Amino acid sequence: MKAAFPIQVLVNYWEDRPSKMGERLDELLRGGVHHVASFVPWKAVEADISHGLAKFLLAAKERSISVSLILSPEVGVHYPNSGLPNDVLKPEIRARGPGGKPYIVGLAPNAIALPSLFAPEFVKRYQNFLARMDHLLHEIARASPGVMDRVSVALTGSFWKYYREASTLGGRAFASATGDTGPAAAVAYRQEVSRYFGHKEFSGKNAAAAN
């Protein structure tokens, strides 16, 4: 009996050694899985000296498994500091809420103080990460033709919701000195990300999209 809906499984490529990824995908295939999703932590990309992402995508292609890559930052993906690089977690660029208190998120594997969405250092570093991901995926596609044919890329939006505290706004869109309090902060930053991905270099067949 054919499944009414395709089965999708979360397979974070960085949780397995590249040499074991093929075995894991083979096991999933035997279970009827033909589509997997994986978070792509910002820090994992910058520290990927073993080319784990490229090997993961190639292993999936060899098995005709389609892949959804979900670009971080994403809170709670069981990667240290939710995948944020150490240099964007410095105290001087932390987001501040009412009373100057930092935004602390305590999801696994560890609690972190979120960076300010409007700190120039954070914005520049994040845009550099997106550009690096675009270049990396193009290089993977060039080295292994066809490997990106069954790959989609999305930017997760749930990270930004941790900046919203509507009950403390008092009618103001930006209540703190860093401008991180309230829905307007997340909306403004998402618009900046969308503007960045509106550039023509992201309009190809496998263009990334904000989720």
Side-chain angles (χ1 to χ4, degrees):
M1 179 178 176
K2 187 176 181 180
F5 300 98
I7 302 173
Q8 177 175 297
V9 173
L10 181 65
V11 178
N12 288 324
Y13 71 93
W14 35 270
E15 292 181 333
D16 286 300
R17 294 195 303 272
S19 60
K20 297 292 185 181
M21 182 53 66
E23 295 178 14
R24 186 173 184 188
L25 293 178
D26 286 338
E27 182 179 353
L28 291 173
L29 267 180
R30 289 192 291 271
V33 176
H34 296 275
H35 185 92
V36 298
S38 177
F39 285 104
V40 183
W42 181 347
K43 190 173 181 178
V45 171
E46 296 186 348
D48 191 11
I49 59 175
S50 64
H51 307 290
L53 178 59
K55 293 175 182 177
F56 166 60
L57 294 178
L58 183 59
K61 173 185 177 293
E62 292 171 346
R63 293 158 177 82
S64 297
I65 294 176
S66 57
V67 178
S68 293
L69 296 178
I70 309 168
L71 304 190
S72 71
E74 173 64 32
V75 173
V77 297
H78 295 274
Y79 196 93
N81 295 328
S82 295
L84 290 167
N86 293 338
D87 60 299
V88 302
L89 296 173
K90 296 184 294 186
E92 55 266 33
I93 62 170
R94 285 177 179 170
R96 301 288 175 178
K101 295 181 179 180
Y103 284 94
I104 305 295
V105 175
L107 296 178
N110 62 295
I112 61 169
L114 296 175
S116 170
L117 296 179
F118 298 97
E121 290 180 62
F122 178 81
V123 174
K124 183 177 180 180
R125 284 285 278 113
Y126 185 54
Q127 291 185 345
N128 286 342
F129 162 65
L130 296 179
R132 182 170 183 168
M133 276 300 308
D134 180 67
H135 176 74
L136 174 60
L137 294 177
H138 275 84
E139 286 297 301
I140 291 174
R142 183 185 61 80
S144 304
V147 73
M148 295 296 296
D149 290 350
R150 298 169 64 89
V151 176
S152 61
V153 183
L155 297 172
T156 177
S158 63
F159 176 78
W160 318 117
K161 74 181 181 182
Y162 291 93
Y163 294 86
R164 305 177 188 179
E165 290 188 3
S167 61
T168 63
L169 284 179
R172 290 179 293 167
F174 298 96
S176 68
T178 52
D180 293 293
T181 300
V187 170
Y189 196 79
R190 296 291 295 160
Q191 288 175 340
E192 173 68 12
V193 172
S194 295
R195 183 195 64 77
Y196 182 80
F197 269 91
H199 296 173
K200 63 180 181 180
E201 59 264 34
F202 297 107
S203 60
K205 180 180 179 181
N206 295 98
N211 182 19

